[in-house]
Amino acid sequence: MLLKMLLSEQGSIYLHIDYKIGHYVKIVMDEIFGAENFRNDITRIKCNPKNFARKGYGNIKDLILFYSKSECPIWNEPKMPYTQEDKTKLFPKTDKNGKRYTTIPLHAPGETQNGNTSQAFKGILPPKGRHWRTDVATLELWDKQGLIEWSENGNPRKKIYLDEQEGKRVQDIWEMKDPQYPLYPTEKNADLLNLIIKTSSNADSYVLDCFCGSGTTLKSAQLLGRFWIGIDQSEQAIKVSAKKLDSITSDIFTPKPTYELIRCEIENTTTNIAFVARQADMLP
Ligand SMILES: C[S@@+](CC[C@H](N)C(=O)[O-])C[C@H]1O[C@@H](n2cnc3c(N)ncnc32)[C@H](O)[C@@H]1O
């Protein structure tokens, strides 16, 4: 509830949790953030399969619950590079210059009345119950540019070239295993935090990790030019976080982090103490 109060209207919260407790936490999160602000339950492949003797299937995943504060969170669409297999499967054709491409239909569901997406293109009307994806003038232009492929029975399709794509859409299963020789028992994969921070924040955003452990989030936030705050009840965690932050070597894009450490005594909680690491050049 406190994190919801602190979160900006454009902010998001990612709650990374074990599979044994995650479903109960989802119900609490729905109640606090609203089921309508639930965006994903991300399955994170955390390790290689292990051969424990336990009666049950091996556990190689945990989950990340992703909620936004409102319906318009910061969203910088992430893309993943295509694998060689994706390239041949998704872009099976090759043009005369050796460039890989695929084709997609030029029409979409729904009829438009009197619009310029329902008119004839090269004497062909869109199929019944459908309209052209764009106006006829643009279709003419694409055809002139060689971007339309005509099938043997005279159907036009748009060519989509592999080298013009930024990559593929990121899905909700992430294989991002934790470091094999961690600095801290629960240290997370830095790529995981980089993805989350890049996608759901901007360069001037504030990133808060209130269970920061070894400071993986803080380091990613620093390297990505965000402001950051880390909190942990463990003095050891803050020591490891400080070490990780101090290991950043500065260059023209990333200054060496300067930060302050604050020890807070908290009354009436089971924790009693929290250590806060806070980037020094943040606003008050
Ligand atoms: C799973 S670890 C975080 C790991 C971290 N993401 C990393 O990459 O190292 C959770 C952390 O939460 C801290 N913690 C647990 N309960 C807390 C509380 N009530 N207040 C502050 N920190 C707490 C623990 O000390 C632990 O370091």
Side-chain angles (χ1 to χ4, degrees), residues 15-69:
L15 198 149
H16 195 165
I17 195 106
D18 183 83
Y19 75 101
K20 289 186 220 118
I21 195 81
H23 303 90
Y24 303 101
V25 176
K26 162 86 171 54
I27 294 167
V28 178
M29 291 293 280
D30 275 351
E31 194 175 322
I32 295 172
F33 286 88
E36 69 284 6
N37 291 319
F38 168 62
R39 296 197 172 256
N40 286 105
D41 159 1
I42 298 158
T43 295
R44 205 268 304 209
I45 312 286
K46 60 178 180 177
C47 60
N48 293 325
K50 295 185 180 112
N51 286 321
F52 292 141
R54 179 178 160 260
K55 289 194 172 89
Y57 302 104
N59 166 238
I60 55 165
K61 67 144 192 351
D62 48 25
L63 60 138
I64 302 172
L65 299 172
F66 165 33
Y67 286 77
S68 56
K69 170 99 172 248

Side-chain angles (χ1 to χ4, degrees), residues 134-153:
T134 185
D135 55 85
V136 171
T138 306
L139 295 178
E140 300 277 4
L141 181 70
W142 285 349
D143 194 35
K144 223 190 252 169
Q145 293 169 335
L147 294 175
I148 291 182
E149 186 169 85
W150 294 85
S151 71
E152 276 172 15
N153 42 7

